[in-house]
Amino acid sequence: MKEETIAAIATPPGTGGISIVRVSGPDAVLAAGKTLRLRSGAPLSSVRPWTVRLASVVDREGVAIDEALVLVMRGPRSYTGEDLVEVQCHGGSLVSQKVLASVLEAGARHAEPGEFTRRAFLNGRITLEEAEAVLEVVNAPTEYALSQAGRRLRGELGARVRKWETRLYSALAALQASADFPEDVDEVSSHAMGEVLSVHKEIAALLDRAPLGLALSCGIEACLVGPPNAGKSSLFNALLAADRAIVTEVPGTTRDVLRETTEWDGLPVILLDTAGLRQTSDVVEIIGVERAERAASESEVIIYVFDSALGLGSEDRDWIGKWLKQGRRVLLVAGKSDAGACKVSESEMNEVAGGAFVLASAVTGAGLEEIKKRVTDWFRRGQDPRLLSPGSARQVDCLRRASSSLGEALSRRSEGWTEDVVVLCLEEALKALAELTGKDVSEETLEQVFARFCVGK
Amino acid sequence: MTGSGERFDILVVGSGHAAVEAALAGSRLGRSVCVVTLDTGNIAGMPCNPAIGGPGKAQIVSEIDALGGEMALAVDGSTVELRVLNASKGPAVQSLRAQVDKRAYARHMREALSRAGVVLRQGMVTDLSVSEGAVQGIVLSNGDRVRAPRVVLCTGVYLESRIIVGDVVEDSGPLGEPSAKGLSESLKRLGISLGRFKTGTSPRIARDSIHWEELRRETGSDIPLAFSFLSRPRVWQNDACYSTYTNEETHRIISANRHRAPMFNGTIEGTGPRYCPSIEDKVFRFAERKRHQIFLEMESRDSHEVYILGLSTSLPVDVQVAMVHSLPGMKDARIIKPGYAIEYDCIASNQIKPSLETVAIKGLYCAGQINGTSGYEEAAAQGLIAGINAAITLEGRDPVVLERHEAYIGVLIDDLVTNVIDEPYRMLTSRCEYRLLLRQHNADQRLTPLGRRVGLVSDRRWRVFQEKKTMLDRGRELLGTKVDGIEVRDRLRTPDVHLEDFAPVLPGLAGLPEDIKAEVELEAKYSGFIKRQEREAQRLRRYSSKRIPARLSPADVPGLSREARDKLEKYAPSTIGRALEVGVSPSDVLILLAYMKDLGARGGQGGDG
């Protein structure tokens, strides 16, 4: 059975300088050739691979629609490991759409999200870990995030995991040898358990960096909520240093949820502005309030803003209490702090928000840096963002399972359980690590990894 | 050539532990069976240590027993010392080990064969007769032919064997018997490729030449024990085992003669077992160790020979003498038989199917050391399975194949058929993933119903099994009793609470036998871990039962390694599990799964099965 040829626009939608259409598969050159006319009149298949050529893009009637640079790569020496053609046409969604349409007409199929990288993996060009890192590099929103992804693209996480595996296997072998050769092997288990303890500590140290790693690769969602007219939208604009949200004196101005991406202290932050929480009969506003509540409940940080001059009502306390009880990160912000003294004492705010509160003013800029610091500190936890950290929920999950199995091995041992149980826990830890590096595999892993890709990569 | 016209249902070649179980199984399933062997005086011999069991091996013996085999009964009929190994290391690795009277053991097996009506015949098999890819019988060195639609090869260490002691090399079997000539050539002609393995044993010492008072006596367990589910547990202590240690002088003698060791000077070509190293091997490989423990075991009440466990060697006889004399209590010791190494032909075991039938020739089965294993227990297990399958396939029934989560025997055979074994294969508890499920003492609960379906479990065994099951259920019910609002079974789930602690409040306990109490206590105590292993086994089964569509052509799957492609083409596995079993690597399986998914998306009838 022959692989299908796939095609997609690899650059983001919208108007730009250039736009790249990517075609991969056994008929890539044939399909792309139907819509490209080389200046020399020679067919595309005659082009020497890995050289750049100028060509006209023509539509079905043979009418030239654009000029493009064409790059032909022959498998297996290409990103996907198959024949690959990249057409650089002028930016502008219509032009690239037309190029893509003619390639599809010539027999190619539209690629699914991540399909190019998936083919690269399936053709043995990259490992599973590298495939994940490719996605991270593509999406890296900040420099730290990019350097993290780069480390994983070079396989640093896998190398560290393999070292742990070697040490755990030697501990396991010692325990098993004493069971299999009771006459030949002396007591070895205390040394073996020492090794387990030290690997457990190292994994725990890496897991401490998991919130930071996930924040770097996925961004921190921080949601501004609070009563109407508390100054959320002004804070939103001030924190973004941009005039993004409409600000008026009229309570209930913000209806829909606004999202903007920014960078605080090297960490990517997705800031959300929401409608004020209040009882209302306005149909549109009711929906806005519902959306605000949902946005807050789905984000990682809730920034609860109230008006210093008005103080905290019982409704405010209810909201904050509810979220704190759920274990959410809530930052209490006394807004409009420039307008006069805050009606709520610091000790009261301290009590309501469990210590996390800031006095801030969108007008003077007071407290803005502290808000940013408070939010990022939750993820940084004093860690250096340049050191290796896990970058996907899948990796964190594998590490967590390995860590909990090792922790269990140690505790079972000290509780006086027999060695066979300790061995079982070690084997489970090793299985979790093998899953992380892709040695032990399941279809779910594969789907998890490739489902997050965008089309064209 | 004479055409004697003799004909049997099953021919068994050899008379060691594999052969005996194969012949008994075949015969008890109603087939006419003939055992052809070099020496009919040597049945179920023990050319190495006079002991059965130990970690991993004891579990196998109990499984053989549960299925209706003979080994455990023969052990119980000839035990001299019986003890539990790994008692403190947990139920998954706890194992019985019996020192047996090797002559009594052989007598038991000879009588069993005779009772079962197995025909014994002396002779050397030099050729197989095969027609249209199916075995038809055997040819003996004198030209006689015996016909049978099933032949089970249990050639042990005899195929083209060479015995090596120092620089003396002889074409011979272990006990001065001839080496089996011709059959290796015949197998090669039939397209079966052969390997060459090596094993060895230790010198035998005259009992009356040892100063026993200088050694430490090792006594069997004080608790009554038995191997077979049919035997009454007993205490076995017969003053038959002693221990001591090698010393620096022993190690100096060995080191000084390194150049004369066939292991190191190139005389031995075969690969020896890493898990059963010779003393010279141990001294060189673990140079930092100042001493190695050794055990002296009486071989039989009717014999003067004493076996030295831990002193396997092929050094020249004069070095063996010096070495033995350096040991405590052995300064006057007389060597009756020197230790030796033996090299022999075996087949690359991935040429057999999980039924133990060869891939190349229908009706031809292999069991025991010919498949690359070492150990009496491993051999007997294969003999039993080969014997069963040779017999029941004659009736058109499907062969018995045990899975890895069902039995150590399943692990053993799966490892053999999936891998190319590169050293003699010994069973270890660490080879078994589901060792908490596959305990020695629940072998009957796991396998006796299967043995009954096969037809090997006698009415008596079936009755004993059902009685035990009833008792177990009664015990389990008792554990449901609440004490202070919590069920006893939940209270037991910590290491320092024991069933006996509840004796005052559970009067029903007194009526239960000790082994039943121990079993239900263990089930409750380890229930959390047992459930985890059961879940894992189930998960694996689900994943591995995913079907590989027949229309899939490995050559079309991009990115597969050449090795994986070859294996997929050669074995055409029907499921992902089978693919893993024939040695396709997990990352190749991942690629295969992804391809199957695409195939499903494109072709309608997908890879999901």
Side-chain angles (χ1 to χ4, degrees), chain B residues 133-151:
Chain B
V135 75
Q136 309 292 327
I138 55 168
V139 182
L140 296 175
S141 57
N142 64 3
D144 274 4
R145 285 168 178 270
V146 187
R147 296 200 301 148
R150 296 285 182 271
V151 173

Side-chain angles (χ1 to χ4, degrees), chain A residues 192-201 403-416 422 425-426:
Chain A
M193 294 316 284
E195 197 71 347
V196 172
L197 183 67
S198 85
V199 172
H200 184 239
K201 279 189 186 146
S403 165
S404 103
S405 294
L406 293 180
E408 189 186 349
L410 293 162
S411 62
R412 294 296 183 199
R413 168 93 178 157
S414 59
E415 287 160 19
V422 176
C425 297
L426 287 188

Side-chain angles (χ1 to χ4, degrees), chain A residues 1 178-180 418 427-428, chain B residues 86 89 429 435 526 532 556:
Chain A
M1 173 167 312
S178 88
D180 276 328
T418 45
E427 287 172 329
E428 285 176 351
Chain B
N86 292 334
K89 289 175 190 159
T429 60
R435 60 191 94 84
Y526 290 85
R532 263 149 76 173
D556 289 341

Side-chain angles (χ1 to χ4, degrees), chain A residues 135-447:
Chain A
L135 177 66
E136 288 175 46
V137 169
V138 170
N139 293 342
T142 71
E143 205 170 320
Y144 286 145
L146 183 61
S147 96
Q148 277 297 324
R151 279 168 170 275
R152 286 189 289 271
L153 187 57
R154 290 193 300 273
E156 279 188 38
L157 183 62
R160 191 168 299 186
V161 170
R162 278 185 288 277
K163 274 189 196 146
W164 288 331
E165 285 180 319
T166 310
R167 288 162 63 194
L168 290 177
Y169 269 119
S170 82
L172 184 68
L175 287 167
Q176 293 187 323
S178 88
D180 276 328
F181 308 99
E183 288 127 350
D184 292 330
V185 179
D186 308 329
E187 280 304 312
V188 282
S189 48
S190 64
H191 174 76
M193 294 316 284
E195 197 71 347
V196 172
L197 183 67
S198 85
V199 172
H200 184 239
K201 279 189 186 146
E202 287 176 34
I203 294 182
L206 190 66
L207 271 174
D208 272 345
R209 312 174 51 74
L212 178 62
L214 291 177
L216 282 171
S217 63
C218 310
I220 302 164
E221 281 206 355
C223 184
L224 291 158
V225 288
N229 216 13
K232 294 184 293 298
S233 297
S234 307
L235 266 180
F236 184 69
N237 288 340
L239 285 166
L240 291 171
D243 200 9
R244 178 66 180 81
I246 300 167
V247 178
T248 72
E249 293 296 320
V250 183
T253 302
T254 308
R255 300 294 178 87
D256 216 341
V257 177
L258 297 181
R259 298 171 63 97
E260 276 301 319
T261 303
T262 182
E263 181 184 330
W264 292 351
D265 195 18
L267 302 191
V269 174
I270 301 139
L271 196 60
L272 285 77
D273 187 22
T274 62
L277 300 168
R278 68 164 170 184
Q279 300 282 343
T280 172
S281 54
D282 181 329
V283 184
V284 180
E285 203 182 339
I286 288 175
I287 297 173
V289 172
E290 276 171 15
R291 288 193 179 173
E293 202 188 330
R294 196 179 332 131
S297 67
E298 284 169 1
S299 58
E300 283 149 301
V301 176
I302 296 167
I303 303 176
Y304 198 95
V305 186
F306 70 98
D307 187 333
S308 300
L310 297 176
L312 283 166
S314 65
E315 230 176 293
D316 299 317
R317 287 167 202 269
D318 288 349
W319 280 112
I320 296 168
K322 178 183 134 194
W323 283 319
L324 282 175
K325 218 168 166 184
Q326 290 170 0
R328 314 295 310 282
R329 303 182 186 97
V330 180
L331 179 63
L332 183 61
V333 174
K336 306 183 184 175
S337 66
D338 54 299
C342 183
K343 271 190 83 175
V344 188
S345 73
E346 295 211 352
S347 66
E348 200 184 342
M349 282 196 278
N350 194 38
E351 195 185 320
V352 171
F357 69 92
V358 177
L359 299 168
S361 163
V363 178
T364 63
L368 294 185
E369 287 314 306
E370 203 185 336
I371 292 176
K372 295 179 187 174
K373 190 173 169 335
R374 286 275 190 170
V375 170
T376 51
D377 275 356
W378 264 315
F379 298 86
R380 274 213 166 190
R381 293 174 166 190
Q383 305 265 11
D384 184 343
R386 285 164 302 189
L387 296 177
L388 180 69
S389 58
S392 73
R394 187 188 75 83
Q395 292 167 351
V396 172
D397 174 57
C398 292
L399 288 170
R400 259 201 202 118
R401 279 186 286 134
S403 165
S404 103
S405 294
L406 293 180
E408 189 186 349
L410 293 162
S411 62
R412 294 296 183 199
R413 168 93 178 157
S414 59
E415 287 160 19
W417 282 91
T418 45
E419 268 173 25
D420 52 356
V421 163
V422 176
V423 165
L424 177 79
C425 297
L426 287 188
E427 287 172 329
E428 285 176 351
L430 279 162
K431 219 171 281 169
L433 291 179
E435 227 176 281
L436 196 159
T437 54
K439 251 194 298 178
D440 188 2
V441 294
S442 69
E443 230 172 328
E444 292 83 53
T445 314
L446 194 71
E447 282 185 13

Side-chain angles (χ1 to χ4, degrees), chain B residues 179-211:
Chain B
S179 140
K181 300 280 183 193
L183 191 54
S184 286
E185 272 310 311
S186 166
L187 288 170
K188 275 191 240 172
R189 272 200 308 279
L190 293 167
I192 292 174
S193 63
L194 302 180
R196 199 145 173 88
F197 278 175
K198 170 250 153 190
T199 188
T201 191
S202 62
R204 305 304 201 275
I205 312 296
R207 187 190 287 195
D208 59 5
S209 68
I210 297 168
H211 301 287

